[in-house]
Amino acid sequence: MAIMITDECINCGACEPECPNTAIYEGGVQWTWGDGTSLTQVEIDGGVVVDGKAPQPPISDEFYYIVSDKCTECCGFHEEPQCAAVCPVDCCVDDPDYRETEEALLAKKEWLHAAS
């Protein structure tokens, strides 16, 4: 599963630099697939191809947020999700809407960071 940031977030920013996939963004900030990954383009729902540098709309305007499709729970990098490890208010928690096996998370890591 992916990690999500709850509305208890105090916007301290401790989590953002810890993410090896650059999946965490400040509220209101646009994100891209290519940030912190080797992705140059991504095929999304419906077969639409998106440029890896194309800005995507923020998922939250109020709090730091995690792009679930870029979150690997730090599998292949660390033994535990680093955002949760450094969060001073424990608001980085399992996202019940995104359940993935360890194998799927490792495959996502390889996809995100494949050699170009």
Side-chain angles (χ1 to χ4, degrees), residues 14-24 66 70-72 74 82-83:
C15 56
E16 185 180 22
E18 299 302 319
C19 182
N21 302 312
T22 314
I24 302 174
I66 298 174
K70 290 178 70 176
C71 179
T72 62
C74 295
Q82 295 301 287
C83 57

Side-chain angles (χ1 to χ4, degrees), residues 26-48:
E26 185 175 359
V29 172
Q30 294 179 328
W31 62 278
T32 72
W33 286 101
D35 287 342
T37 74
S38 63
L39 298 175
T40 58
Q41 62 182 19
V42 175
E43 185 175 329
I44 57 173
D45 295 335
V48 175

Side-chain angles (χ1 to χ4, degrees), residues 1-4 19-24 33 66-75 81 83 93 95 98 100 104-106 108-109 111-112:
M1 75 187 67
I3 303 296
M4 62 182 264
C19 182
N21 302 312
T22 314
I24 302 174
W33 286 101
I66 298 174
V67 177
S68 298
D69 290 333
K70 290 178 70 176
C71 179
T72 62
E73 292 185 46
C74 295
C75 279
C83 57
V93 299
D95 186 338
Y98 291 92
E100 296 171 290
L105 292 168
L106 289 170
K108 187 191 299 185
K109 175 203 180 264
W111 173 68
L112 289 167

Side-chain angles (χ1 to χ4, degrees), residues 75-97:
C75 279
F77 294 103
H78 305 285
E79 299 220 359
E80 66 180 341
Q82 295 301 287
C83 57
V86 301
C87 181
V89 292
D90 297 326
C91 67
C92 296
V93 299
D94 293 338
D95 186 338
D97 294 332

